[in-house]
Amino acid sequence: MTALLEVAGLEVAFAAGGFTWPGQAARQVKAVNGVSFALNAGETLGLVGESGCGKTTLARAILALTEKSAGEVLFEGERVDRTSLMRLRRNAAMIFQDPFNALNPRMRVGDILAEVLRVHRKVPPDRIAARVEELLVLVGLSGEHARRKPATLSGGQCQRVGIARALAVEPKLIVADECVSALDVSIQAQIINLLIDIRSRMKLAMIFIAHDLAVVRRLCDRVCVMYLGRIVEEGATADVFSAPKHPYTQALIRAIPEIDPAGSLPRNMLPGEPPSPLDLPPGCAFHPRCPQAMDICRSGDAPVLRPAGEQRAACLLYGGVRH
Ligand code: SF4
């Protein structure tokens, strides 16, 4: 079976700026570094990791909203390039982190949705108003909201409009980028329930980007854990949460506040901050923070993903293969 989406060796590099001597090559930061994974139709993949690990850049590169510097993206087996980009655009949509800023403040909600329907020619012109109302009802709003402007809506209502706008293209794939992190905790639960409902009703595939692992555990079939631009662990959600293999994943999972979400984090959290992407340490980039680091972890190339129990992990504890 062909995967809905395949990502192979994807890299995104940015110029680092700063001073360079004449003749010296400009320094680059690899925000995404050799990422590969596949996503099947109807599957939900969680992309987790600390802020700045490259999750959002990866998602934007998959949807060709950010230019990749190497690697390939295939949608339904077809390579995404300039000529096939419109096909991806007709089948994939993104839900953004900031629900207020993602909507044009000068437009009424109904016009925001109608514009998408018109551009993608999803319904005949005389059906647009009815379809706008259907979309609003689908996300738990009503036809009355079509006349409102974003400034008159709550954060949760704005995010529902953002979801309706994504659904207007009748996508096969939705990429949700930290789409609840700007909302109150009680509203977050409502939006997550809405996404679960819509996903099963419409059989959508979803890439769900989050730093909140408790949400990912509830929503996702599979998880990719990212650290400094690379995937360091990948597996079924149940396996990764019950038996995390990479020491970084183990630390993230230990940090989930199990009972009281507002409670303090456990004492055995990871020490320190991730190193600067501009100045990555040799060997495994996680070694300065890893409680299980060995001498071989501190030199050579970064470890590659390889089988570790039911999942795959990029860690020399599970074999000595490097990039
Ligand atoms: Fe820790 Fe070494 Fe594994 Fe990196 S390769 S996660 S430093 S044990």
Side-chain angles (χ1 to χ4, degrees):
M1 187 180 72
T2 306
L4 179 73
L5 178 79
E6 280 176 78
V7 175
L10 195 67
E11 293 188 4
V12 181
F14 297 119
F19 179 78
T20 48
W21 293 100
Q24 186 185 8
R27 290 210 296 168
Q28 288 197 321
V29 177
K30 278 194 183 168
V32 175
N33 196 350
V35 167
S36 302
F37 66 86
L39 178 72
N40 291 321
E43 192 178 32
T44 300
L45 176 76
L47 214 50
V48 303
E50 290 162 293
S51 296
C53 70
K55 307 182 294 274
T56 296
T57 308
L58 170 60
R60 292 182 62 85
I62 288 169
L63 295 184
L65 299 171
T66 292
E67 201 171 336
K68 61 184 167 58
S69 34
E72 280 190 346
V73 176
L74 287 89
F75 189 79
E76 294 183 319
E78 188 183 350
R79 200 164 143 206
V80 177
D81 54 22
R82 271 178 221 280
T83 48
S84 62
L85 185 57
M86 273 320 289
R87 194 162 155 270
L88 177 72
R89 292 266 188 273
R90 281 197 299 271
N91 286 288
M94 190 151 179
I95 303 171
F96 296 91
Q97 179 174 10
D98 183 342
F100 286 109
N101 287 332
L103 303 175
N104 184 334
R106 284 186 289 276
M107 290 174 76
R108 295 183 193 281
V109 165
D111 295 329
I112 291 171
L113 300 179
E115 186 180 51
V116 179
L117 295 170
R118 256 192 302 274
V119 168
H120 290 275
R121 298 193 185 139
K122 286 294 172 188
V123 289
D126 61 344
R127 275 271 303 138
I128 286 180
R131 181 64 181 147
V132 164
E133 184 162 347
E134 276 171 22
L135 286 165
L136 289 171
V137 171
L138 184 65
V139 298
L141 298 172
S142 71
E144 183 269 326
H145 290 98
R147 292 188 289 279
R148 308 258 297 265
K149 286 195 174 171
T152 69
L153 302 177
S154 66
Q157 288 172 330
C158 279
Q159 197 52 291
R160 286 175 192 270
V161 174
I163 294 169
R165 183 176 57 182
L167 296 176
V169 300
E170 297 168 26
K172 294 177 181 170
L173 168 67
I174 280 194
V175 179
D177 181 14
E178 300 274 9
C179 68
V180 294
S181 61
L183 304 173
D184 291 345
V185 174
S186 60
I187 308 297
Q188 286 184 9
Q190 292 174 18
I191 297 293
I192 295 298
N193 287 339
L194 174 64
L195 289 174
I196 291 172
D197 179 45
I198 284 170
R199 178 189 59 177
S200 53
R201 268 208 260 176
M202 302 179 73
K203 311 245 178 305
L204 288 170
M206 204 178 277
I207 297 178
F208 189 81
I209 301 170
H211 61 264
D212 182 343
L213 270 79
V215 171
V216 170
R217 185 185 208 167
R218 222 182 124 207
L219 191 67
C220 299
D221 306 306
R222 278 193 309 127
V223 190
C224 286
V225 181
M226 282 187 79
Y227 188 75
L228 287 170
R230 292 187 196 274
I231 292 177
V232 296
E233 182 155 356
E234 185 207 356
T237 304
D239 295 330
V240 172
F241 277 82
S242 62
K245 293 295 187 280
H246 195 283
Y248 178 60
T249 317
Q250 291 168 358
L252 287 182
I253 286 175
R254 273 200 307 271
I256 301 173
E258 280 290 344
I259 299 165
D260 177 8
S264 56
L265 293 173
R267 266 175 296 161
N268 53 357
M269 271 284 287
L270 271 175
E273 298 286 321
S276 162
L278 261 178
D279 194 18
L280 287 180
C284 173
F286 186 60
H287 84 249
R289 304 170 81 191
C290 180
Q292 297 176 65
M294 306 167 282
D295 282 347
I296 51 163
C297 304
R298 299 185 175 92
S299 61
D301 295 325
V304 298
L305 279 174
R306 62 195 320 270
E310 294 298 315
Q311 53 266 40
R312 295 194 302 153
C315 171
L316 297 175
L317 291 171
Y318 307 98
V321 183
R322 298 164 185 262
H323 278 277

